[in-house]
């Protein structure tokens, strides 16, 4: 007999962290619904981390999630991050990655799933199988991610895959080890080391998923199970999807992403 979504052993209970912004209002409710339908672990609390936006607060109230003002967990104020060129603006993108790595400041469970607010799960997911952590992987990445990873940690990547799959299970203990390693190597707070290690001439200078995933895999590959992410980016709106659409896409894909890449382009004044 199939287990219903959210079923599992009590010890497998996880929290969920979804960083969001106003641009995500169209997908956020669907991302939350996807977690509740498709994550095969008991879910403790779903935390939505966002600027203080009344519409996002309303989504949280309607969906039974906890709203958290991003300033509560930010390691550095957004206004102090400058990561841009004449053509692109990535300061907010980088800030949100630092928020994800700061999720251990609010979650209550040892393990917490971080999900991008523009991504909807459409097939069942487990993130712990037989005592191993499951990472959903892709082949796409950027060489800058791995250069920054080595600069931060002094380690070479051992996995020949990319962990940039738009969601990832974090373990607070392993995340703490990663931060301690970075701080010991650089003699400064982990977030400052990240900001100082990025090649600011490149618009893909750092990946939180790539950094954490390769660190965990490098510690003990046998404790990790790799599965293909099978993610599909779509240009349509999440609200336009019918139940039949989701079933059709789910025959081939595990998740759908509704990216709005235009927000990273600097507009001429």
């Amino acid at each position: 007999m199939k287990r219903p979504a959210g079923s599992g052993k009590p010890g497998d209970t996880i929290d969920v962290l979804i960083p969001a912004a106003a641009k995500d209002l169209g997908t956020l409710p669907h991302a939350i619904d996807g977690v509740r339908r498709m994550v095969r672990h008991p879910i403790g609390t779903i935390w939505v981390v966002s600027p203080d936006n009344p519409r996002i607060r309303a989504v949280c109230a309607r969906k039974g999630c906890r709203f958290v003002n991003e300033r509560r967990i930010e390691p550095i104020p957004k206004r102090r991050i400058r990561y841009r060129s004449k053509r692109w603006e990535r300061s907010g993108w980088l800030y949100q990655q630092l928020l994800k790595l700061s999720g251990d400041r609010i979650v209550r469970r040892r393990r917490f799933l971080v999900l991008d607010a523009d991504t909807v799960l459409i097939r069942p997911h487990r993130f712990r199988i037989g005592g191993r952590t499951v990472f959903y992987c892709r082949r796409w990445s950027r060489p800058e991610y791995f250069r920054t990873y080595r600069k931060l940690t002094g380690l070479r990547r051992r996995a020949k895959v990319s962990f940039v799959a738009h969601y990832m299970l974090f373990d607070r203990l392993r995340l703490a080890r990663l931060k301690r390693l970075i701080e010991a190597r650089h003699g400064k707070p982990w977030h400052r080391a990240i900001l100082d290690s990025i090649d600011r001439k490149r618009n893909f200078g750092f990946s939180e998923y790539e950094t954490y995933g390769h660190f965990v895999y490098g510690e003990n590959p046998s404790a990790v199970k790799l599965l293909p992410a099978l993610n599909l980016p779509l240009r349509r709106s999440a609200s336009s999807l019918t139940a039949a659409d989701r079933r059709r896409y789910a025959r081939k894909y595990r998740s759908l992403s509704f990216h709005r890449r235009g927000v990273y382009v600097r507009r001429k004044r």
Side-chain angles (χ1 to χ4, degrees), residues 26-27 30 234-241 258:
T27 56
H30 304 281
L234 290 177
R235 293 186 179 274
R236 62 190 291 186
S237 68
S239 60
S240 71
L241 287 179
F258 302 85

PDB file of all heavy atoms in Angstrom, residues 26-27 30 234-241 258:
ATOM      1  N   GLY A  26       3.527  34.359  -7.483  1.00  0.00           N
ATOM      2  CA  GLY A  26       2.757  33.514  -8.380  1.00  0.00           C
ATOM      3  C   GLY A  26       3.025  32.036  -8.213  1.00  0.00           C
ATOM      4  O   GLY A  26       2.156  31.205  -8.515  1.00  0.00           O
ATOM      5  N   THR A  27       4.220  31.687  -7.719  1.00  0.00           N
ATOM      6  CA  THR A  27       4.584  30.273  -7.587  1.00  0.00           C
ATOM      7  C   THR A  27       4.609  29.782  -6.148  1.00  0.00           C
ATOM      8  O   THR A  27       4.470  28.580  -5.902  1.00  0.00           O
ATOM      9  CB  THR A  27       5.963  30.003  -8.210  1.00  0.00           C
ATOM     10  OG1 THR A  27       6.940  30.877  -7.596  1.00  0.00           O
ATOM     11  CG2 THR A  27       5.947  30.236  -9.712  1.00  0.00           C
ATOM     12  N   HIS A  30       2.011  27.280  -4.878  1.00  0.00           N
ATOM     13  CA  HIS A  30       2.139  25.983  -5.550  1.00  0.00           C
ATOM     14  C   HIS A  30       3.372  25.228  -5.044  1.00  0.00           C
ATOM     15  O   HIS A  30       3.352  24.000  -4.936  1.00  0.00           O
ATOM     16  CB  HIS A  30       2.209  26.194  -7.058  1.00  0.00           C
ATOM     17  CG  HIS A  30       1.043  26.957  -7.606  1.00  0.00           C
ATOM     18  ND1 HIS A  30      -0.182  26.374  -7.834  1.00  0.00           N
ATOM     19  CD2 HIS A  30       0.905  28.278  -7.917  1.00  0.00           C
ATOM     20  CE1 HIS A  30      -1.031  27.292  -8.293  1.00  0.00           C
ATOM     21  NE2 HIS A  30      -0.394  28.452  -8.344  1.00  0.00           N
ATOM     22  N   LEU A 234       9.819  25.971 -17.119  1.00  0.00           N
ATOM     23  CA  LEU A 234       8.670  26.318 -17.955  1.00  0.00           C
ATOM     24  C   LEU A 234       8.508  27.835 -18.016  1.00  0.00           C
ATOM     25  O   LEU A 234       8.765  28.537 -17.035  1.00  0.00           O
ATOM     26  CB  LEU A 234       7.390  25.698 -17.384  1.00  0.00           C
ATOM     27  CG  LEU A 234       7.236  24.178 -17.475  1.00  0.00           C
ATOM     28  CD1 LEU A 234       5.938  23.761 -16.795  1.00  0.00           C
ATOM     29  CD2 LEU A 234       7.246  23.708 -18.919  1.00  0.00           C
ATOM     30  N   ARG A 235       8.024  28.307 -19.142  1.00  0.00           N
ATOM     31  CA  ARG A 235       7.781  29.737 -19.307  1.00  0.00           C
ATOM     32  C   ARG A 235       6.343  30.122 -18.956  1.00  0.00           C
ATOM     33  O   ARG A 235       6.032  31.293 -18.816  1.00  0.00           O
ATOM     34  CB  ARG A 235       8.094  30.167 -20.743  1.00  0.00           C
ATOM     35  CG  ARG A 235       9.581  30.077 -21.085  1.00  0.00           C
ATOM     36  CD  ARG A 235       9.866  30.654 -22.462  1.00  0.00           C
ATOM     37  NE  ARG A 235      11.290  30.592 -22.783  1.00  0.00           N
ATOM     38  CZ  ARG A 235      12.169  31.517 -22.439  1.00  0.00           C
ATOM     39  NH1 ARG A 235      11.765  32.592 -21.763  1.00  0.00           N
ATOM     40  NH2 ARG A 235      13.440  31.399 -22.757  1.00  0.00           N
ATOM     41  N   ARG A 236       5.474  29.162 -18.808  1.00  0.00           N
ATOM     42  CA  ARG A 236       4.093  29.446 -18.450  1.00  0.00           C
ATOM     43  C   ARG A 236       3.998  29.724 -16.948  1.00  0.00           C
ATOM     44  O   ARG A 236       4.966  29.558 -16.208  1.00  0.00           O
ATOM     45  CB  ARG A 236       3.195  28.274 -18.845  1.00  0.00           C
ATOM     46  CG  ARG A 236       3.552  26.981 -18.126  1.00  0.00           C
ATOM     47  CD  ARG A 236       2.819  25.782 -18.693  1.00  0.00           C
ATOM     48  NE  ARG A 236       1.385  25.824 -18.412  1.00  0.00           N
ATOM     49  CZ  ARG A 236       0.567  24.825 -18.703  1.00  0.00           C
ATOM     50  NH1 ARG A 236       1.022  23.722 -19.293  1.00  0.00           N
ATOM     51  NH2 ARG A 236      -0.714  24.917 -18.419  1.00  0.00           N
ATOM     52  N   SER A 237       2.821  30.135 -16.484  1.00  0.00           N
ATOM     53  CA  SER A 237       2.651  30.406 -15.063  1.00  0.00           C
ATOM     54  C   SER A 237       2.282  29.127 -14.313  1.00  0.00           C
ATOM     55  O   SER A 237       1.648  28.229 -14.871  1.00  0.00           O
ATOM     56  CB  SER A 237       1.556  31.456 -14.843  1.00  0.00           C
ATOM     57  OG  SER A 237       0.290  30.925 -15.193  1.00  0.00           O
ATOM     58  N   ALA A 238       2.678  29.062 -13.049  1.00  0.00           N
ATOM     59  CA  ALA A 238       2.363  27.889 -12.232  1.00  0.00           C
ATOM     60  C   ALA A 238       0.852  27.743 -12.057  1.00  0.00           C
ATOM     61  O   ALA A 238       0.329  26.621 -12.010  1.00  0.00           O
ATOM     62  CB  ALA A 238       3.042  28.006 -10.874  1.00  0.00           C
ATOM     63  N   SER A 239       0.148  28.853 -11.978  1.00  0.00           N
ATOM     64  CA  SER A 239      -1.297  28.794 -11.762  1.00  0.00           C
ATOM     65  C   SER A 239      -2.057  28.262 -12.971  1.00  0.00           C
ATOM     66  O   SER A 239      -3.216  27.858 -12.851  1.00  0.00           O
ATOM     67  CB  SER A 239      -1.835  30.180 -11.392  1.00  0.00           C
ATOM     68  OG  SER A 239      -1.565  31.102 -12.424  1.00  0.00           O
ATOM     69  N   SER A 240      -1.392  28.249 -14.147  1.00  0.00           N
ATOM     70  CA  SER A 240      -2.065  27.752 -15.349  1.00  0.00           C
ATOM     71  C   SER A 240      -2.037  26.234 -15.448  1.00  0.00           C
ATOM     72  O   SER A 240      -2.708  25.643 -16.295  1.00  0.00           O
ATOM     73  CB  SER A 240      -1.417  28.353 -16.609  1.00  0.00           C
ATOM     74  OG  SER A 240      -0.117  27.800 -16.817  1.00  0.00           O
ATOM     75  N   LEU A 241      -1.262  25.582 -14.567  1.00  0.00           N
ATOM     76  CA  LEU A 241      -1.160  24.124 -14.611  1.00  0.00           C
ATOM     77  C   LEU A 241      -2.430  23.470 -14.074  1.00  0.00           C
ATOM     78  O   LEU A 241      -2.912  23.819 -12.990  1.00  0.00           O
ATOM     79  CB  LEU A 241       0.021  23.635 -13.778  1.00  0.00           C
ATOM     80  CG  LEU A 241       1.435  23.864 -14.318  1.00  0.00           C
ATOM     81  CD1 LEU A 241       2.429  23.318 -13.314  1.00  0.00           C
ATOM     82  CD2 LEU A 241       1.629  23.212 -15.672  1.00  0.00           C
ATOM     83  N   PHE A 258       9.732  27.709 -12.487  1.00  0.00           N
ATOM     84  CA  PHE A 258       9.146  28.842 -13.205  1.00  0.00           C
ATOM     85  C   PHE A 258      10.037  30.068 -12.971  1.00  0.00           C
ATOM     86  O   PHE A 258       9.682  30.995 -12.253  1.00  0.00           O
ATOM     87  CB  PHE A 258       7.719  29.084 -12.702  1.00  0.00           C
ATOM     88  CG  PHE A 258       6.830  27.881 -12.853  1.00  0.00           C
ATOM     89  CD1 PHE A 258       6.810  26.888 -11.876  1.00  0.00           C
ATOM     90  CD2 PHE A 258       6.032  27.716 -13.961  1.00  0.00           C
ATOM     91  CE1 PHE A 258       6.006  25.762 -12.005  1.00  0.00           C
ATOM     92  CE2 PHE A 258       5.221  26.590 -14.108  1.00  0.00           C
ATOM     93  CZ  PHE A 258       5.214  25.618 -13.133  1.00  0.00           C
TER      94      PHE A 258
END
